[in-house]
Amino acid sequence: MKVTYIYHSSFLAELDSVTMLFDYYKGNIPKIDSNKPFFVFASHAHGDHFSNKILELADQYPNIQYILSDDINENKIPVHCKNKVRFVKPNETIVLEKQSMTIETLRSNDEGVAFWICCEGKTIYHAGDLHYWFWREEDDERNRMIVRQYEAELEKLRGRHANVAFVVLDPRQKDDFFIGMNELMKVISADHIVPMHCWGDYSVIEKIKQLPCSASYRDRIAQIQKEGETFEWNN
């Protein structure tokens, strides 16, 4: 699998027979093999995870299909793209037999969904905005509710294994920035953990690697340093 970091929470994942684009809203998209099925995922409608620009890709790639969270306004979809779009809600399972792909959605504790995707014997997790959104300046009860929701969704993943997990690591949370990733790694295993939603501050990647709590998984965290960086993994 080849993974290209585009920007923020957007990545291109290239498998042998399928290409997947996640949560694109800006940045340079690498050249894509137009002969492969091309799946474009958007986890929710927030402006840092979805842009109408992705719908323009249908003019270039005849084999494109969109998997969009159902909080995205259907009226934004051009008529000529509607037959290429599938809206998904939380707690859905979609089986695409032609591509031997299964897509499961979880309920984000912010907006939209997270994706758990199995294809070609590989498993990809993209968290969207499902995360430990604890803000010390916010109301305590709201924080507790958001954390409970996060924990409930993680329980659905307990014991699972991902080949690649795209996981929020947000520097705006200051001393609490690492908790979401650390809690996830208590319930799943992953060959490769790819930080996202870093707002361009990649120093948080090294920071979590220095924390004692990451000892069991720090060597599997991808060290992103710039946009356009690529990673190639056989497992």
Side-chain angles (χ1 to χ4, degrees):
M1 185 188 309
K2 180 179 179 181
V3 170
T4 302
Y5 168 59
I6 296 176
Y7 187 81
H8 197 53
S9 296
S10 183
F11 296 86
L12 188 75
E14 299 174 76
L15 283 69
D16 290 340
S17 61
V18 172
T19 303
M20 305 179 201
L21 177 66
F22 293 94
D23 280 17
Y24 178 85
Y25 83 101
K26 65 184 291 187
N28 295 319
I29 301 174
K31 184 176 176 56
I32 294 166
D33 185 347
S34 60
N35 295 313
K36 290 183 183 180
F38 180 24
F39 287 87
V40 178
F41 295 84
S43 65
H44 61 292
H46 285 173
D48 60 329
H49 291 262
F50 170 77
S51 168
N52 286 341
K53 293 177 184 176
I54 64 172
L55 301 169
E56 298 171 7
L57 295 171
D59 298 327
Q60 303 173 52
Y61 300 103
N63 293 323
I64 199 166
Q65 296 184 56
Y66 296 92
I67 308 295
L68 308 181
S69 171
D70 67 357
D71 68 312
I72 294 170
N73 188 343
E74 188 173 358
N75 294 328
K76 291 186 175 182
I77 310 302
V79 172
H80 72 282
C81 285
K82 287 188 181 292
N83 66 337
K84 299 178 181 292
V85 174
R86 179 157 186 168
F87 287 98
V88 294
K89 59 183 184 293
N91 302 312
E92 267 198 271
T93 299
I94 299 167
V95 178
L96 303 174
E97 293 184 0
K98 188 174 181 180
Q99 290 82 25
S100 300
M101 181 186 294
T102 301
I103 303 166
E104 294 179 64
T105 59
L106 293 94
R107 183 181 299 279
S108 173
N109 56 348
D110 188 0
E111 296 288 345
V113 300
F115 297 106
W116 187 275
I117 303 162
C118 298
C119 184
E120 294 184 12
K122 304 288 187 184
T123 301
I124 296 173
Y125 172 65
H126 190 285
D129 265 355
L130 176 59
H131 179 57
Y132 187 95
W133 293 118
F134 188 94
W135 302 102
R136 292 180 180 267
E137 64 274 16
E138 296 283 347
D139 175 74
D140 285 346
E141 180 52 39
R142 182 185 181 279
N143 276 330
R144 286 193 292 269
M145 178 188 70
I146 293 294
V147 169
R148 287 195 299 268
Q149 290 171 345
Y150 185 56
E151 292 171 344
E153 293 305 301
L154 292 192
E155 278 303 313
K156 298 174 184 177
L157 299 178
R158 184 171 292 279
R160 296 196 190 193
H161 176 79
N163 296 95
V164 178
F166 299 105
V167 188
V168 175
L169 199 62
D170 196 318
R172 299 174 303 168
Q173 291 184 279
K174 299 179 181 177
D175 290 345
D176 301 312
F177 79 99
F178 69 96
I179 299 176
M181 180 181 287
N182 195 60
E183 291 301 302
L184 176 68
M185 297 316 299
K186 291 178 182 178
V187 301
I188 73 166
S189 59
D191 295 324
H192 306 285
I193 306 157
V194 185
M196 65 179 190
H197 214 277
C198 301
W199 299 102
D201 181 3
Y202 309 119
S203 68
V204 291
I205 301 173
E206 186 57 35
K207 285 179 182 176
I208 192 170
K209 288 185 175 187
Q210 296 300 322
L211 294 177
C213 66
S214 70
S216 64
Y217 60 85
R218 64 172 63 120
D219 60 335
R220 288 175 279 130
I221 301 175
Q223 186 70 56
I224 294 174
Q225 297 177 320
K226 61 183 180 179
E227 297 159 31
E229 208 161 358
T230 61
F231 305 87
E232 294 196 49
W233 299 304
N234 293 322
N235 57 344

